[in-house]
Amino acid sequence: MQPKKSTAWKSIRNIFDQVHLYAGLISGLVVIAVCFSGTIYVYNTEIREIMDSELYFVEETGERMSADELKSSLEKSSDSNVVGLMWNEEADRSVQFTLKKEGEEGRGSTFYVNPYSAEILGNSSDKTSTSEFMGYMFSLHRWLLLDRIETPILESMGNRDLGRFINGVATLLFLLGVITGIVIWVPNKVKNWKQGLKVKWSGNWKRVNHDLHNSLAFYSLIFLFIMSATGPFWSYEWYREGWQKTWDTYQAPAPKGEVAAKTTAEAKPELAAPIEEVNLAVLSLEDIFAKTNAELPYAGNIRVSLPSKSSDPISVSKYRTGFFARAGADQLTLSAADLSVTEANLFSDLPFRQQVGRSVKSLHVGDIFGPFSKFLWFVACLIATSLPITGTLIWWNKRKKKPSKKKQSNPLKSKQQVAEVV
């Protein structure tokens, strides 16, 4: 009975071996490019802050001006209106204000501001060598740099869509490689698990390469699975919709007729109920901060979006800070009339399924638990970059082996050799 089971498993494992091998070989080059750029992009914010530190850090000189004082100063000097801001409480950090001129289209321009002098340090849309480099890394990670090619490669789709499609195929193949790798590794190493979790540095380079591929992949397994399972979210509409339905975050798009009707209704103020007029110019940012901190009593940065009309509410988001800071902002909607809370969307109040569904970006880039998880994702992504290389070398070394025609005369010696290979 035992030989039959062994033979059946050998056949099954051979199938998984082949799937694992060809999934890796086909997607190898793309995976290297995507994972290499992803390794760097994990620390996108930190790299920008270090290289363009003049935008993010300021010298502490006296007392910081209040948000209202900064707002007033910026509006007078730029002849624009403040429509939003990102407030950082750290003493050596700049703050960000979004300014928009009367009648200007779009969301306005965001500036880094010195909170001690109201000096504008720079515009977030300004091109620096760091932003250019990180832009290339993002393009390589998302579209394989195909969006940088002006001439269409295919007539049926744009270059960005082509890059997104190829990226998605490679990521799905990598995910298949992770799953088949689990099936191959576990039954094979479960009896000798200690051997499967370490590298025999005293062996030849082929043995070291083999151990590195197996051991490093096992240690980073859960992170590789999460990264590859979330990656296609940005490549395929069907995958994105499936993800949202799985985690209960899907919202069907409204029919075009309903959107048009809603827009028409909003364009007719005479049909709306009368609303008490509010002088938006006298809205106090400090009062907004106080209300937000009273409702959300924890350390964090606050983003405020001010309304363009007195009838519109104030949108506030608060982000946790700290080494183990959890991703997912808490959001409040405040009345412009009296700053009362008209709606509160707290991340912690969401069901677990929706927390996972709404954290797809944080799960993919690794900031799900702040700097702590970022470091784990950085190491895992570095390992993922190496796996196609070490895996290809394993395949190439096996390919070069010539089958031995001589029979093993010493059974004990044969078992020892097999044990060393495994």
Side-chain angles (χ1 to χ4, degrees):
M1 195 69 179
Q2 187 65 28
K4 289 184 179 180
K5 288 184 178 179
S6 178
T7 304
W9 165 244
K10 188 176 181 181
S11 300
I12 294 172
R13 174 172 173 167
N14 183 59
I15 294 173
F16 278 96
D17 276 334
Q18 294 301 309
V19 173
H20 185 80
L21 169 64
Y22 287 105
L25 290 177
I26 294 171
S27 64
L29 290 177
V30 177
V31 168
I32 291 173
V34 170
C35 290
F36 172 74
S37 55
T39 302
I40 297 174
Y41 209 80
V42 165
Y43 285 113
N44 170 51
T45 302
E46 289 77 3
I47 292 173
R48 289 174 183 265
E49 289 182 352
I50 292 173
M51 301 306 296
D52 295 330
S53 58
E54 67 279 2
L55 298 177
Y56 299 92
F57 297 95
V58 297
E59 185 179 350
E60 301 178 42
T61 54
E63 293 186 6
R64 288 181 23 141
M65 299 170 64
S66 70
D68 290 315
E69 291 173 330
L70 289 170
K71 176 176 179 290
S72 177
S73 175
L74 290 170
E75 288 181 335
K76 288 179 181 178
S77 62
S78 64
D79 193 26
S80 303
N81 296 319
V82 170
V83 295
L85 71 151
M86 183 71 174
W87 190 258
N88 196 318
E89 290 288 355
E90 294 181 54
D92 62 341
R93 290 274 188 164
S94 63
V95 293
Q96 298 177 38
F97 279 81
T98 302
L99 300 172
K100 188 175 179 181
K101 293 184 179 295
E102 192 72 31
E104 180 184 349
E105 297 293 331
R107 299 180 179 180
S109 301
T110 300
F111 297 90
Y112 299 94
V113 180
N114 186 330
Y116 296 95
S117 63
E119 176 191 1
I120 293 178
L121 305 174
N123 191 326
S124 62
S125 61
D126 290 341
K127 295 293 183 182
T128 65
S129 57
T130 306
S131 65
E132 288 279 355
F133 173 74
M134 296 311 298
Y136 273 103
M137 288 299 99
F138 182 77
S139 173
L140 177 60
H141 187 74
R142 181 72 69 85
W143 305 293
L144 304 175
L145 294 177
L146 295 185
D147 63 310
R148 305 273 173 163
I149 302 175
E150 295 182 2
T151 305
I153 298 174
L154 298 177
E155 295 182 0
S156 57
M157 65 174 66
N159 291 347
R160 178 172 288 197
D161 290 333
L162 177 61
R164 185 185 292 115
F165 175 79
I166 297 173
N167 188 324
V169 170
T171 305
L172 288 173
L173 287 173
F174 184 78
L175 176 60
L176 184 61
V178 171
I179 296 171
T180 53
I182 297 172
V183 177
I184 295 169
W185 193 98
V186 174
N188 191 38
K189 300 293 185 182
V190 69
K191 292 182 179 180
N192 302 305
W193 63 273
K194 287 186 178 180
Q195 183 181 359
L197 296 178
K198 61 183 180 181
V199 179
K200 187 178 180 181
W201 297 106
S202 60
N204 58 33
W205 74 270
K206 295 180 182 179
R207 175 59 187 267
V208 172
N209 179 76
H210 184 276
D211 287 352
L212 283 173
H213 185 82
N214 286 329
S215 301
L216 293 180
F218 181 81
Y219 284 122
S220 59
L221 191 60
I222 186 171
F223 310 114
L224 299 180
F225 180 82
I226 292 173
M227 285 187 287
S228 56
T230 53
F233 182 90
W234 291 276
S235 291
Y236 305 115
E237 181 66 32
W238 60 266
Y239 195 96
R240 180 162 51 253
E241 185 174 320
W243 171 279
Q244 293 169 340
K245 288 182 177 179
T246 299
W247 300 107
D248 195 24
T249 58
Y250 178 74
Q251 292 182 341
K256 294 182 179 180
E258 291 185 13
V259 175
K262 183 178 179 182
T263 304
T264 304
E266 290 177 349
K268 297 179 179 180
E270 68 274 12
L271 299 179
I275 299 175
E276 181 182 353
E277 289 296 322
V278 179
N279 186 357
L280 296 177
V282 300
L283 279 176
S284 171
L285 295 176
E286 295 298 329
D287 289 344
I288 295 174
F289 293 161
K291 182 65 176 180
T292 302
N293 289 326
E295 296 291 330
L296 308 171
Y298 57 81
N301 297 329
I302 299 175
R303 181 186 296 277
V304 179
S305 294
L306 297 174
S308 58
K309 298 184 295 184
S310 58
S311 58
D312 293 338
I314 303 167
S315 298
V316 182
S317 299
K318 189 169 184 179
Y319 305 82
R320 295 176 185 271
T321 55
F323 188 71
F324 295 98
R326 184 204 68 201
D330 292 323
Q331 299 173 334
L332 300 176
T333 301
L334 307 179
S335 168
D338 57 4
L339 298 185
S340 60
V341 178
T342 58
E343 186 178 359
N345 294 313
L346 307 186
F347 188 79
S348 57
D349 289 345
L350 295 173
F352 176 74
R353 286 177 63 192
Q354 293 187 13
Q355 288 186 11
V356 174
R358 294 178 185 274
S359 301
V360 58
K361 183 180 179 181
S362 296
L363 286 168
H364 187 69
V365 302
D367 61 0
I368 190 70
F369 289 113
F372 169 72
S373 59
K374 266 193 173 187
F375 176 74
L376 297 179
W377 257 250
F378 170 79
V379 175
C381 209
L382 195 62
I383 292 172
T385 307
S386 72
L387 291 180
I389 301 172
T390 54
T392 301
L393 289 174
I394 292 173
W395 166 73
W396 186 258
N397 291 331
K398 288 183 177 180
R399 182 174 172 271
K400 291 172 65 178
K401 281 185 179 180
K402 296 181 179 179
S404 177
K405 297 181 180 179
K406 295 182 179 180
K407 295 182 179 179
Q408 296 289 347
S409 58
N410 189 338
L412 180 59
K413 185 178 180 181
S414 176
K415 290 182 179 179
Q416 289 175 346
Q417 290 176 342
V418 171
E420 288 180 2
V421 173
V422 174

